[in-house]
Amino acid sequence: MKTKISRRSFIKSGIGAGTAAIFSGGKKGSGMQRNRGKKVVISSANGQRATEKAMQLLDEGLDPLDAVIAGVNIIESDPEDMTVGYGGLPNEDGVVELDASVMHGPTHNGGAVASIRNIKNPSKVAKLVMERTAHALIVGRGALRFAKNHGFKEENLLTDRARKIWLKHKEQLSDQDFWYPPKSKKLESRVRSFVESHGTINCCVLDANGDLASVTTTSGFFFKIPGRVGDSPIIGAGLYVDNDVGAAGSTGLGEANILTCGSNMVVEFMRDGFSPEEACLRALKRIIAKSKLWPERLDSKGLPRFDVNFYAVNKKGEYAGTAIWKGRYYSVNDGKENKLKPSAYLFERP
Ligand code: ASP
């Protein structure tokens, strides 16, 4: 008879950590080498305040996951960032729906929420899913109820600015409906560029003990179909951590990333001995190879019309930010400097 073992007792018993070590051997094994007290925090370009804050908290001795969550909470709470948390652009019904996930290297545990409404800091709720339930992902109304049960305050996340942009988008959709065109042209060209637009923050960390963690949080695609879930709350796509190897996270076209389990792939390439940059670029190449099967996503030359970014740090403290297309940046704090760096890339636009 099979013995049933719950996820929580698996982790609590320490069997999880033991089996992780058994299965973690890589071809070249470079992922197994420890850092020598190196600390690194990396994030997407919108995360400069997050990398700064997380490093400060690591210096104060905080757990690496708590440090990166506190970092991204700054961006989630900022109404000016229209891609994450409060002030994020809404779905096609004008409602802000958020996705977030977290993963903690030392316990190989993770949690996520998707399509959650009215909660400003979904990354904190994702951590509670990890710590206070036997589940990995809770969505929609269930996620909201869970957050409220834990004392989170429900609030309207739609700022006036986001509402006006959504309204103009709606008024411009068609001239054959009952919505008149927008009265003012202001914002109009911006609104066009918002369609099919998106943004997210991922933040990965290696602390001085060699422990890793990652968090990804987003309001997802602007004007998305209500209920659409992107890659950010999907562990293995929006982020992945193996405490013996490294941490990776992603921003960009979520569907391409979900269909290739991108962040998991990056970590597996690092396990095979590739540097973070090589691992990320290899994963991007895989996405492009598979995107040949999605002709609607390709331009006339057969190149992707979309972008995906990976951010990764390995156990030795090597790190990278990468993108399909030239021109992207990522934020890094190596304990000495907090700076934006250009991402490595595969293609340059003519
Ligand atoms: N990956 C996010 C999503 O698909 C969007 C983004 O990162 O730009 O929801």
CSV table of all heavy atoms in Angstrom, one decimal, residues 1-29:
chain,number,residue,atom,x,y,z
A,1,MET,N,0.8,-1.2,0.0
A,1,MET,CA,0.0,0.0,0.0
A,1,MET,C,0.9,1.3,0.0
A,1,MET,O,1.9,1.3,0.7
A,1,MET,CB,-0.9,0.0,1.3
A,1,MET,CG,-2.0,0.9,1.2
A,1,MET,SD,-3.0,1.0,2.7
A,1,MET,CE,-2.2,2.3,3.6
A,2,LYS,N,0.5,2.2,-0.8
A,2,LYS,CA,1.3,3.4,-0.9
A,2,LYS,C,1.0,4.3,0.4
A,2,LYS,O,-0.1,4.4,0.8
A,2,LYS,CB,0.8,4.3,-2.1
A,2,LYS,CG,1.6,3.9,-3.3
A,2,LYS,CD,1.4,4.9,-4.4
A,2,LYS,CE,1.7,4.4,-5.7
A,2,LYS,NZ,1.1,5.1,-6.8
A,3,THR,N,2.0,4.9,0.9
A,3,THR,CA,1.8,5.8,2.1
A,3,THR,C,1.6,7.1,1.5
A,3,THR,O,2.4,7.6,0.7
A,3,THR,CB,3.0,5.8,3.0
A,3,THR,OG1,3.5,4.5,3.2
A,3,THR,CG2,2.7,6.5,4.3
A,4,LYS,N,0.5,7.8,1.9
A,4,LYS,CA,0.2,9.1,1.5
A,4,LYS,C,1.0,10.1,2.3
A,4,LYS,O,1.1,9.9,3.5
A,4,LYS,CB,-1.3,9.5,1.6
A,4,LYS,CG,-2.0,9.3,0.4
A,4,LYS,CD,-3.3,10.0,0.5
A,4,LYS,CE,-4.1,10.0,-0.8
A,4,LYS,NZ,-5.4,10.5,-0.6
A,5,ILE,N,1.7,11.1,1.7
A,5,ILE,CA,2.4,12.1,2.4
A,5,ILE,C,2.1,13.4,1.9
A,5,ILE,O,2.0,13.7,0.7
A,5,ILE,CB,3.9,11.8,2.3
A,5,ILE,CG1,4.8,12.7,3.2
A,5,ILE,CG2,4.5,11.8,0.9
A,5,ILE,CD1,6.2,12.2,3.5
A,6,SER,N,1.6,14.3,2.8
A,6,SER,CA,1.2,15.6,2.4
A,6,SER,C,2.4,16.5,2.1
A,6,SER,O,3.5,16.2,2.5
A,6,SER,CB,0.4,16.3,3.5
A,6,SER,OG,1.2,16.8,4.5
A,7,ARG,N,2.1,17.5,1.2
A,7,ARG,CA,3.2,18.4,0.8
A,7,ARG,C,3.9,19.0,2.0
A,7,ARG,O,5.1,19.1,2.1
A,7,ARG,CB,2.7,19.5,-0.1
A,7,ARG,CG,3.7,20.2,-0.9
A,7,ARG,CD,3.0,21.2,-1.9
A,7,ARG,NE,2.4,22.3,-1.1
A,7,ARG,CZ,2.9,23.5,-1.0
A,7,ARG,NH1,4.0,23.8,-1.6
A,7,ARG,NH2,2.3,24.4,-0.3
A,8,ARG,N,3.0,19.4,3.0
A,8,ARG,CA,3.5,20.1,4.1
A,8,ARG,C,4.4,19.2,5.0
A,8,ARG,O,5.5,19.6,5.3
A,8,ARG,CB,2.4,20.7,4.9
A,8,ARG,CG,2.8,22.0,5.6
A,8,ARG,CD,1.9,22.5,6.5
A,8,ARG,NE,0.6,22.7,6.0
A,8,ARG,CZ,-0.3,23.4,6.6
A,8,ARG,NH1,-0.1,24.1,7.7
A,8,ARG,NH2,-1.5,23.6,6.0
A,9,SER,N,3.9,17.9,5.2
A,9,SER,CA,4.8,17.1,6.1
A,9,SER,C,6.0,16.6,5.3
A,9,SER,O,7.1,16.4,5.9
A,9,SER,CB,4.0,15.9,6.6
A,9,SER,OG,3.4,15.2,5.5
A,10,PHE,N,5.9,16.5,4.0
A,10,PHE,CA,7.1,16.2,3.2
A,10,PHE,C,8.2,17.3,3.4
A,10,PHE,O,9.3,16.9,3.7
A,10,PHE,CB,6.7,16.2,1.7
A,10,PHE,CG,7.8,16.0,0.7
A,10,PHE,CD1,8.3,14.7,0.5
A,10,PHE,CD2,8.3,17.1,0.0
A,10,PHE,CE1,9.2,14.5,-0.5
A,10,PHE,CE2,9.2,16.9,-1.0
A,10,PHE,CZ,9.7,15.6,-1.2
A,11,ILE,N,7.8,18.5,3.4
A,11,ILE,CA,8.7,19.6,3.6
A,11,ILE,C,9.2,19.6,5.0
A,11,ILE,O,10.4,19.7,5.3
A,11,ILE,CB,8.1,20.9,3.2
A,11,ILE,CG1,8.0,21.0,1.7
A,11,ILE,CG2,8.9,22.1,3.7
A,11,ILE,CD1,6.9,21.8,1.2
A,12,LYS,N,8.2,19.5,6.0
A,12,LYS,CA,8.6,19.6,7.4
A,12,LYS,C,9.5,18.5,7.8
A,12,LYS,O,10.4,18.7,8.6
A,12,LYS,CB,7.3,19.6,8.2
A,12,LYS,CG,6.6,20.9,8.3
A,12,LYS,CD,5.7,21.0,9.4
A,12,LYS,CE,5.1,22.4,9.4
A,12,LYS,NZ,3.7,22.4,9.7
A,13,SER,N,9.3,17.3,7.2
A,13,SER,CA,10.1,16.2,7.7
A,13,SER,C,11.6,16.3,7.2
A,13,SER,O,12.4,15.6,7.7
A,13,SER,CB,9.6,14.9,7.1
A,13,SER,OG,9.8,14.9,5.7
A,14,GLY,N,11.8,17.2,6.3
A,14,GLY,CA,13.2,17.4,5.8
A,14,GLY,C,13.5,16.4,4.7
A,14,GLY,O,14.6,16.5,4.1
A,15,ILE,N,12.6,15.5,4.4
A,15,ILE,CA,12.8,14.6,3.3
A,15,ILE,C,13.0,15.4,2.0
A,15,ILE,O,13.8,15.1,1.2
A,15,ILE,CB,11.6,13.6,3.1
A,15,ILE,CG1,11.5,12.8,4.4
A,15,ILE,CG2,11.9,12.7,1.9
A,15,ILE,CD1,10.2,12.0,4.4
A,16,GLY,N,12.2,16.5,1.9
A,16,GLY,CA,12.3,17.4,0.7
A,16,GLY,C,13.7,17.8,0.4
A,16,GLY,O,14.2,17.7,-0.6
A,17,ALA,N,14.3,18.3,1.5
A,17,ALA,CA,15.7,18.9,1.3
A,17,ALA,C,16.7,17.7,0.9
A,17,ALA,O,17.5,17.9,0.1
A,17,ALA,CB,16.1,19.5,2.6
A,18,GLY,N,16.5,16.6,1.5
A,18,GLY,CA,17.3,15.4,1.3
A,18,GLY,C,17.2,15.0,-0.2
A,18,GLY,O,18.2,14.8,-0.9
A,19,THR,N,16.0,14.8,-0.7
A,19,THR,CA,15.8,14.4,-2.0
A,19,THR,C,16.3,15.4,-3.0
A,19,THR,O,16.8,15.1,-4.0
A,19,THR,CB,14.3,14.0,-2.3
A,19,THR,OG1,13.5,15.0,-1.8
A,19,THR,CG2,13.9,12.7,-1.8
A,20,ALA,N,16.1,16.7,-2.7
A,20,ALA,CA,16.6,17.7,-3.6
A,20,ALA,C,18.1,17.5,-3.8
A,20,ALA,O,18.6,17.6,-4.9
A,20,ALA,CB,16.3,19.1,-3.0
A,21,ALA,N,18.8,17.2,-2.7
A,21,ALA,CA,20.3,17.0,-2.9
A,21,ALA,C,20.6,15.8,-3.7
A,21,ALA,O,21.4,15.8,-4.6
A,21,ALA,CB,20.9,16.9,-1.5
A,22,ILE,N,19.8,14.7,-3.5
A,22,ILE,CA,20.0,13.5,-4.3
A,22,ILE,C,19.9,13.8,-5.8
A,22,ILE,O,20.7,13.3,-6.6
A,22,ILE,CB,19.1,12.4,-3.9
A,22,ILE,CG1,19.4,11.9,-2.4
A,22,ILE,CG2,19.1,11.2,-4.8
A,22,ILE,CD1,18.3,11.1,-1.8
A,23,PHE,N,18.8,14.5,-6.1
A,23,PHE,CA,18.5,14.7,-7.6
A,23,PHE,C,19.2,15.9,-8.2
A,23,PHE,O,18.9,16.2,-9.3
A,23,PHE,CB,17.0,14.8,-7.8
A,23,PHE,CG,16.3,13.5,-7.5
A,23,PHE,CD1,15.4,13.4,-6.5
A,23,PHE,CD2,16.6,12.4,-8.3
A,23,PHE,CE1,14.8,12.1,-6.2
A,23,PHE,CE2,15.9,11.2,-8.1
A,23,PHE,CZ,15.0,11.1,-7.0
A,24,SER,N,20.0,16.6,-7.5
A,24,SER,CA,20.5,17.9,-8.0
A,24,SER,C,21.8,17.8,-8.8
A,24,SER,O,22.3,18.8,-9.3
A,24,SER,CB,20.7,18.9,-6.9
A,24,SER,OG,21.7,18.4,-6.0
A,25,GLY,N,22.4,16.6,-9.0
A,25,GLY,CA,23.7,16.5,-9.7
A,25,GLY,C,23.6,17.0,-11.1
A,25,GLY,O,22.7,16.5,-11.9
A,26,GLY,N,24.5,17.9,-11.5
A,26,GLY,CA,24.5,18.4,-12.9
A,26,GLY,C,25.6,17.8,-13.6
A,26,GLY,O,26.6,17.2,-13.0
A,27,LYS,N,25.6,17.9,-15.0
A,27,LYS,CA,26.7,17.3,-15.8
A,27,LYS,C,28.0,17.8,-15.4
A,27,LYS,O,29.0,17.1,-15.1
A,27,LYS,CB,26.4,17.7,-17.3
A,27,LYS,CG,25.7,16.5,-18.0
A,27,LYS,CD,25.7,16.8,-19.5
A,27,LYS,CE,24.2,17.0,-19.9
A,27,LYS,NZ,24.1,17.8,-21.1
A,28,LYS,N,28.1,19.2,-15.4
A,28,LYS,CA,29.4,19.8,-15.0
A,28,LYS,C,29.5,20.1,-13.5
A,28,LYS,O,30.5,20.4,-13.0
A,28,LYS,CB,29.7,21.0,-15.9
A,28,LYS,CG,29.7,20.7,-17.3
A,28,LYS,CD,30.0,21.9,-18.1
A,28,LYS,CE,29.6,21.7,-19.6
A,28,LYS,NZ,29.5,22.9,-20.4
A,29,GLY,N,28.3,20.1,-12.9
A,29,GLY,CA,28.2,20.3,-11.5
A,29,GLY,C,28.6,21.7,-11.0
A,29,GLY,O,28.7,21.9,-9.8
